[in-house]
Amino acid sequence: MQTAAQNSANDILNRVRDFVRFLDRDEIVSVLSTVRDEIVREMESVRELSDRERSLLSDAGSATEYDRLRSIHDELNALEMERFLRINSVSTLHADCTEYRDRLAGRALQLVAEEMKNAGKGEPPRPYALCSMGSDGRAEQTLITDQDYLIVYGDGGGETADEWFREFAELLVERMAEIGFKKCTGDIMPSNPTWRGSLAQWKKKLLAIVRYEYEDYAKNLMDLIVLSDARFVSGDRELADALTSTIRSLEQDYFQVLWGMAKAATEMKLALGFLKRLWTEGSGEHKGEFNLKLLAWAPLVMNVRILSINQGIPATNTVERIGLLQRDGSFSATFARGLVDAYTILTRHRILLQIKVIKGIQDSSYYLNPYALPPDEREAIRQALLRIEDLQRTIHTNFSIM
């Protein structure tokens, strides 16, 4: 994996690659000298940020107060925003945010277990694991995050274990909120019994979903979609692996459920209107804008997820999934590269919207006005949407959706 400094250098070089073709020898020497100086400054700056992040992560591993974890989290977020504004690398931001939030979540898990013990609740009665879902599960964390976690614990503890982990999960959710992980508005948190249980209890819930034993089919289908991105964060890795492998094998074994997920994915609307031009809201608070998450980014992530599950690909990261789908022949190299470009451009604008919210420039991190962008950026977004539309057609055909 490339370092942030390497990404910065590559970005600068890419910007001048075509430009120098039109210069004479002396002009090229001058330009390259300027570029060299800029690269040196950028690399030094990025190294300074990296050194500070390593120091903060070291502090997080030994922090004993939630206030300290919160201040570390806030500073790491600020450093990552500064780095993104300098090098504009989506992959670097994803990797860094995911790494430090995993570390913070793992430390919070340890502190909450100690807090339970000090309160007379005893040690954890069974081994357990914390798994993340959503963007965190896909290792695609960005500058604004919330809690999308589940807990799985070992079998054999009975009601005693169930009660201990209920109290543990409820306390964990509160402490995670204190250190900067907002509570999930959809209640996808282990304090909700839907997202907590022993391995046997989880298997029972999953079988009930794929066998249509629950009344609210739409909700349970959505729960299964969320679980498709489950990833180990901290605790007992074997338990987490047992749960995630169960999720993926059931999704493959019960094709009708996967077909339902595929149908939902192909029916997700895109911000494309008449003659494939960008569609925006015609009235209201967001006139001239569109919801970048719901009408562009989410359909891409969702459709890639469906094909990955169908092909038995264990990866959860979207770009990694695209690469593996290319390797197994599901995508041509050109199509895969186009999807990666689409993911990168859409995610970059999502991050820029988040920065505007953090800086108090606007209230929403979802709505984008494409006509406030340069024409080439606007066209890049339109091309991204056209590639997602092609992907939806591919899934529509592969799953024989009428």
Side-chain angles (χ1 to χ4, degrees):
M1 181 181 291
Q2 288 186 319
T3 66
Q6 288 171 325
N7 282 330
S8 179
N10 288 339
D11 182 61
I12 295 168
L13 288 172
N14 286 335
R15 278 182 267 161
V16 300
R17 181 181 297 163
D18 293 330
F19 176 66
V20 297
R21 291 183 302 164
F22 304 101
L23 305 179
D24 61 29
R25 183 179 179 279
D26 290 341
E27 289 172 327
I28 290 174
V29 170
S30 176
V31 167
L32 291 180
S33 177
T34 301
V35 168
R36 180 198 60 201
D37 293 343
E38 185 178 349
I39 288 175
V40 169
R41 284 195 298 272
E42 285 291 332
M43 292 180 71
E44 286 298 324
S45 177
V46 170
R47 270 196 287 267
E48 288 175 8
L49 292 177
S50 298
D51 289 344
R52 179 56 181 158
E53 284 183 335
R54 280 191 288 272
S55 175
L56 287 168
L57 285 174
S58 177
D59 290 348
S62 58
T64 58
E65 301 291 336
Y66 297 108
D67 286 348
R68 177 58 183 149
L69 288 177
R70 175 59 184 260
S71 66
I72 290 171
H73 191 186
D74 288 345
E75 187 171 350
L76 286 168
N77 284 340
L79 288 171
E80 204 54 48
M81 180 171 68
E82 183 179 349
R83 174 185 283 127
F84 182 80
L85 289 172
R86 290 182 180 183
I87 69 173
N88 201 29
S89 172
V90 169
S91 60
T92 298
L93 184 136
H94 278 338
D96 290 346
C97 287
T98 299
E99 179 185 3
Y100 66 69
R101 294 212 179 100
D102 278 2
R103 297 266 198 103
L104 291 167
R107 184 55 181 158
L109 209 66
Q110 294 171 345
L111 292 180
V112 170
E114 291 175 13
E115 199 172 347
M116 290 281 287
K117 182 180 177 180
N118 293 337
K121 306 294 183 180
E123 301 278 357
R126 308 300 299 164
Y128 65 96
L130 183 72
C131 296
S132 60
M133 297 166 287
S135 61
D136 192 6
R138 294 189 303 276
E140 295 168 0
Q141 281 270 22
T142 52
L143 297 173
I144 297 176
T145 189
D146 62 3
Q147 297 185 44
D148 283 327
Y149 292 105
L150 65 81
I151 285 177
V152 56
Y153 48 92
D155 297 328
E159 293 182 0
T160 300
D162 292 342
E163 177 60 20
W164 192 93
F165 282 106
R166 180 190 67 79
E167 292 186 45
F168 176 78
E170 290 175 354
L171 182 58
L172 177 66
V173 166
E174 295 302 322
R175 297 310 189 209
M176 290 286 283
E178 287 179 27
I179 67 173
F181 293 73
K182 295 178 182 178
K183 291 184 181 180
C184 175
T185 55
D187 204 19
I188 303 175
M189 301 179 290
S191 53
N192 178 345
T194 299
W195 304 103
R196 179 184 75 246
S198 68
L199 184 59
Q201 290 167 346
W202 270 110
K203 289 179 177 178
K204 183 178 179 181
K205 283 190 280 191
L206 290 165
L207 278 170
I209 292 174
V210 298
R211 291 173 176 172
Y212 301 101
E213 293 175 7
Y214 290 130
E215 290 183 8
D216 193 343
Y217 170 74
K219 178 186 179 302
N220 287 284
L221 182 64
M222 185 54 63
D223 287 349
L224 192 60
I225 290 170
V226 170
L227 285 163
S228 301
D229 293 335
R231 178 182 64 84
F232 169 77
V233 172
S234 187
D236 189 305
R237 183 179 286 274
E238 286 188 11
L239 267 174
D241 289 347
L243 176 59
T244 55
S245 64
T246 298
I247 293 166
R248 288 168 186 122
S249 63
L250 285 174
E251 288 173 332
Q252 286 187 289
D253 291 344
Y254 288 81
F255 181 78
Q256 188 61 27
V257 173
L258 184 57
W259 185 91
M261 294 165 66
K263 186 173 187 295
T266 60
E267 291 176 350
M268 295 179 78
K269 293 182 179 180
L270 301 174
L272 287 172
F274 184 63
L275 296 178
K276 305 299 181 183
R277 288 183 290 205
L278 288 176
W279 174 92
T280 59
E281 304 228 3
S283 61
E285 180 184 358
H286 298 290
K287 182 179 180 180
E289 302 174 332
F290 73 92
N291 190 313
L292 181 65
K293 179 179 180 180
L294 293 182
L295 299 177
W297 178 86
L300 173 56
V301 171
M302 176 71 164
N303 282 272
V304 169
R305 177 194 291 123
I306 297 302
L307 275 183
S308 299
I309 295 170
N310 190 49
Q311 296 301 101
I313 289 172
T316 59
N317 179 267
T318 301
V319 171
E320 188 178 354
R321 280 170 166 169
I322 292 169
L324 293 172
L325 285 166
Q326 177 192 340
R327 194 173 72 180
D328 76 6
S330 298
F331 295 153
S332 68
T334 300
F335 190 63
R337 187 164 53 251
L339 290 178
V340 171
D341 288 345
Y343 177 82
T344 302
I345 186 76
L346 297 175
T347 306
R348 184 165 70 245
H349 280 287
R350 286 198 70 209
I351 295 166
L352 290 171
L353 288 173
Q354 290 180 354
I355 291 173
K356 288 181 179 180
V357 170
I358 292 168
K359 289 180 173 291
I361 298 171
Q362 62 187 49
D363 296 328
S364 173
S365 62
Y366 296 133
Y367 284 89
L368 175 71
N369 178 355
Y371 297 100
L373 301 174
D376 59 335
E377 280 288 297
R378 186 163 64 246
E379 178 60 17
I381 291 174
R382 193 180 76 89
Q383 290 298 323
L385 291 170
L386 291 174
R387 293 184 187 115
I388 300 168
E389 189 177 54
D390 287 342
L391 176 60
Q392 287 181 314
R393 278 196 289 265
T394 297
I395 296 176
H396 199 275
T397 300
N398 288 357
F399 283 81
S400 300
I401 297 171
M402 304 302 292

